[in-house]
Amino acid sequence: MMRRLVTLDQTVPIIFYVVMVGSLYMLFAGHNQPGGGFVGGLVAGAAVSLRYISGGIQEVRSTSRLKPWTVLGIGVIVAATAAVAPVLIGQPVLTSGYTVWEIPVLGDVALSSALVFDIGVYICVVGLVLMVFEAFGDRFEKER
Amino acid sequence: MAWIILIHAVVGFLIIGFGESLGRRAVYPALVPPLITLGWLATRLGAVVDGDTLSETISWVPQIGLAFDVRLDGFGALMVAIVSGIGVLVLWYAANYFPRRQYALGRLFGLLVLFSGAMVGLVVADNLLVLYGFWELTSICSFFLIGNRHSSAPARAASLQALLTTGLGALAMLWGFVLLGEAAGTYQISSLLADPPRGATVAPALVLVLLGAATKSAQYPFHFWLPGAMVAPTPISAYLHSATMVKAGVYLVARFSPAFVGVWIWRPAVVALGATTMLLGGLRALRQTDLKRLLAFGTVSQLGFMFVLFGMGTDASIAAGCVLLTAHAVFKATLFMGVGIIDHQIGTRDIALLPRLAQWRPLSAVLIISAASMAGVPLTFGFIAKEAGYEALLHSGTRFGGLVVAVVVTSSVLTFAYSARLVHGSLWAGGDPDAETAPADKEPSMAFLGPAVVLTGLTVLFGLVPGLLDGIASAATDALVHAVVGVHLAIWHGFNTALGLSAVTIAAGTVVFLVLGRIQPALALGSRIPDGGRIYRGILWGVNRGAGAVTGVVQSGSLPIYAGVVMLSTVAAPASALIGMPWDGIFEGADAPTPIVIASVTVVTILLAATVGAAVIRRRYAAALLLAGVGYSMAALFVVQGAPDLALTTVAVESLFTVLFVLVLRSLPERFEQTSPLVGRLFRLVISASVGAVVFLFALFAMSERLPSSTSQEMVARSLPDAHGRNVVNVILVDFRGFDTLGEITVLVAAAIGAVALARAVRRPGRPPDPPPEVATAPESPTGPFAAPDAAMEETDVRRLDGIHEGVEP
């Protein structure tokens, strides 16, 4: 049985979601303000590492129902699909278009199709972090 | 015509993708494409026999004259009929051969359909490059079909051997095609053959093309892959490795022969190759006890005969070649089916272990008639073909014609003997008095025998009424020689030399068969003849050894050496760019202490302190934290200099990396060991210092270069209007340089998979962390290079190759 800290156990679940929301904000705001898929993914990774600190590899595994390599693969597929999709309508690879949506409260929001690509990058980085914990995270489970 | 090939591809991939749950019933959709092909051919056959040709062109890459040209002439129609006709019968046979459910049966049927489509494409292609494409597709299908049971090491080794051998030959052939195409100014086969190129490059080009044809059609010394391919299930052997795919080389020789027989090297090369193969294949077939291997060497021998006939290039020999091609497809597919039935019912196909099967009348009839056709006994299709061959070779009018006739007759004597051995061995247990009689309850059903009976019927029909084939044989020959020849096949041509030779063949063949037991020691000497298989295994062994040696030198396994090499290489390129740059003015900077400068100096002081601390401290955890301090200071510096995006990324990366660092550091000692000698430390110091100096100078030069950088300015300018993003860094990442990002995340994925595999391979329960000890044997097996697929060596090879992949599976 590993030792657990009450303070961590109580605070990490809350902080985890707060940080995740922040990472998603960075992902979607990235096109116009500091942020983007890569930074967003790293911040989400930091959130995952918080869970690791509080509960070890089991806590990390319970983050996502998907296996780490599945997450990683989905990320690459999303990004590659976004890159190749314009070819189907006769445009060069990675052409991006955009539309302006009027969303209540937020006002006019310009959505670029490059966002889909960025989402792929985000998922990839999260998957990468999960993979690293999967690779090295359970090594000392017995000792703890 | 192209739609026929497309149907094969669509149906084939559908079966591979969704047919697995159908099990054996996948045969029904698989039958559709070949049946459609046969129906389509039937509607066109009349016109083709009358001498018409159908052609289609789909433009592909017009800039280099590459077009998807297809063309159906008499010879193409004959080949399509063989490919699709035998295809239908083999699928019917396979429906009874395989159990209702078996691993990867859907994939097998899908691959058979894909192969059938590729083969049809190969024989109707009218462009050298298109033909090459289909040629390789058949090799790939063959690879997957031989290795369908991929859990078996011999199957994997055999499929790899077939792929490497035919693939290397095909590469040579492609080279030859390019030489020919450039010499002729066109890659269209029909116009190239109508007006064959002349010049210095033609002879070498033909040799290269011949290499491809010889490897594909298992000519000596490249024949070794074909007997090895017999590990495949029998329907595949019957279809790919006797009736169709191995004929691809013969097909190419037949197409090229009339046009290039005038080139001095063509006829001697092809005929010598064919004659050698025919003789040696027959000798090897006499020694086999495994019925499938016996048939495989028989196929090698017969393919050699076809090379001789087509290589001669006279009108009569080409006509005889067309007939032999058809007759061989019919009787050899039947024999394979028969042997497969024996294997299926009894559980072995070894002559020494088989019971007497002569009580199974229908099977006996099928085997005896087809073997008689192979041996050239009168009143069978094979006799008509062999007689035509003898006749053509006797009147070839070439200088070495007599020698060729002698070799061919000798080989035919051997063919008769091994045909007799096949029948005697399988039906009468090789004359073994102790052999049991066949169990009556295991007699194959008529449905199982059906396709073999149909083919046997054709053997008898064309043997008795050969005139039925006059039309298609004439059309095929006319298409090949570009003239009206007219072929008239008959059983009886009167008393002539060819008939005499047939009589001699049968008489001598009978004698050889009767004394076979006594001449086995002499035949065993034949295994001393060098064989391409030994060279193949030698090359494979050498490549593995070479790769091992190179890896041993390049991958020392020492992290300091890796890091040193990486850093020195990183420094070398910028340093060479700095040579000869003007040094004046690079140290100019801001004069007065502005707030930005003051803040920067503060941050840099912290940064330097953390850096020096990380280099000298002896505790690992402290060093990792100090490194994090370096990173956060860098982030602060970015903030001061006005790059929030970079700062954000740096902070995120640093936080994450510190956690990961601590994760890994737990498995290492708490302190750095102090074992590195003084020289080593000095060396590292020099590397670090030079890296620092070069990067510092390079940054200074880059900043002093006050010219506006057009790329970065344009990216900034176009970020909002073109990509609708105000964050230039992000726009560069996902839009302007999106390809780079895509490449980077792909590399990340590969690295992550590798890391997980490495980390887990060491800990997998029940598996030693070290690779299994290598069995370092010389590239020969103890039983000699002619023995059955050298199990020992091939197992070793497979293990070496598998060793690379060990631990990859999660």
Side-chain angles (χ1 to χ4, degrees), chain B residues 72-98:
Chain B
L72 186 78
D73 59 9
F75 190 53
L78 178 68
M79 291 299 292
V80 172
I82 292 175
V83 170
S84 296
I86 304 276
V88 167
L89 292 170
V90 162
L91 284 170
W92 174 13
Y93 173 76
N96 291 296
Y97 179 87
F98 288 111

Side-chain angles (χ1 to χ4, degrees), chain B residues 11-13 15-16 30 105-115:
Chain B
V11 174
F13 279 118
I15 296 176
I16 292 178
L105 211 49
R107 183 176 66 200
L108 188 139
F109 280 114
L111 281 167
L112 276 175
V113 173
L114 288 183
F115 166 77

Side-chain angles (χ1 to χ4, degrees), chain B residues 451-466:
Chain B
V453 170
V454 170
L455 285 172
T456 309
L458 289 180
T459 295
V460 175
L461 179 68
F462 294 142
L464 294 176
V465 199

Side-chain angles (χ1 to χ4, degrees), chain A residues 30-33 96 98 135 138, chain B residues 645 663 724 726-727 735 763:
Chain A
H31 217 50
N32 293 310
Q33 287 152 38
S96 60
Y98 92 117
D138 61 345
Chain B
D645 220 280
L663 204 64
H724 309 286
R726 273 183 289 275
N727 180 354
D735 201 328
R763 286 173 289 152

Side-chain angles (χ1 to χ4, degrees), chain B residues 25-91:
Chain B
R25 279 170 298 158
V27 75
Y28 298 116
L31 273 168
V32 172
L35 282 175
I36 291 179
T37 312
L38 283 181
W40 168 81
L41 185 68
T43 62
R44 303 290 190 279
L45 200 58
V48 168
V49 167
D50 288 342
D52 283 356
T53 56
L54 310 167
S55 52
E56 262 175 45
T57 293
I58 299 170
S59 184
W60 187 0
V61 190
Q63 291 88 343
I64 57 167
L66 180 56
F68 192 84
D69 296 319
V70 285
R71 187 165 177 275
L72 186 78
D73 59 9
F75 190 53
L78 178 68
M79 291 299 292
V80 172
I82 292 175
V83 170
S84 296
I86 304 276
V88 167
L89 292 170
V90 162
L91 284 170

Side-chain angles (χ1 to χ4, degrees), chain B residues 425-509:
Chain B
S426 55
L427 300 183
W428 285 278
D432 182 0
D434 302 329
E436 300 167 6
T437 50
D441 57 327
K442 287 205 174 155
E443 180 156 5
S445 68
M446 278 318 283
F448 198 178
L449 271 172
V453 170
V454 170
L455 285 172
T456 309
L458 289 180
T459 295
V460 175
L461 179 68
F462 294 142
L464 294 176
V465 199
L468 290 174
L469 282 173
D470 280 357
I472 184 73
S474 304
T477 312
D478 294 354
L480 286 176
V481 302
H482 302 289
V484 179
V485 178
V487 179
H488 300 289
L489 301 169
I491 305 178
W492 183 249
H493 290 283
F495 291 102
N496 55 14
T497 326
L499 189 68
L501 287 178
S502 280
V504 169
T505 305
I506 294 174

Side-chain angles (χ1 to χ4, degrees), chain B residues 580-668:
Chain B
M581 294 280 278
W583 283 76
D584 49 312
I586 61 167
F587 291 109
E588 281 174 21
D591 305 321
T594 62
I596 290 182
V597 172
I598 295 168
S600 299
V601 167
T602 318
V603 172
V604 166
T605 312
I606 301 171
L607 197 154
L608 283 177
T611 313
V612 174
V616 297
I617 204 145
R618 307 237 64 90
R619 284 174 180 276
R620 287 180 197 268
Y621 280 106
L625 290 178
L626 282 168
L627 271 183
V630 173
Y632 287 127
S633 314
M634 282 303 285
L637 196 59
F638 289 142
V639 171
V640 170
Q641 298 285 340
D645 220 280
L646 274 179
L648 191 62
T649 312
T650 312
V651 167
V653 167
E654 282 304 330
S655 312
L656 203 56
F657 264 70
T658 308
V659 174
L660 299 182
F661 239 134
V662 172
L663 204 64
V664 178
L665 282 186
R666 285 184 305 179
S667 59
L668 296 174

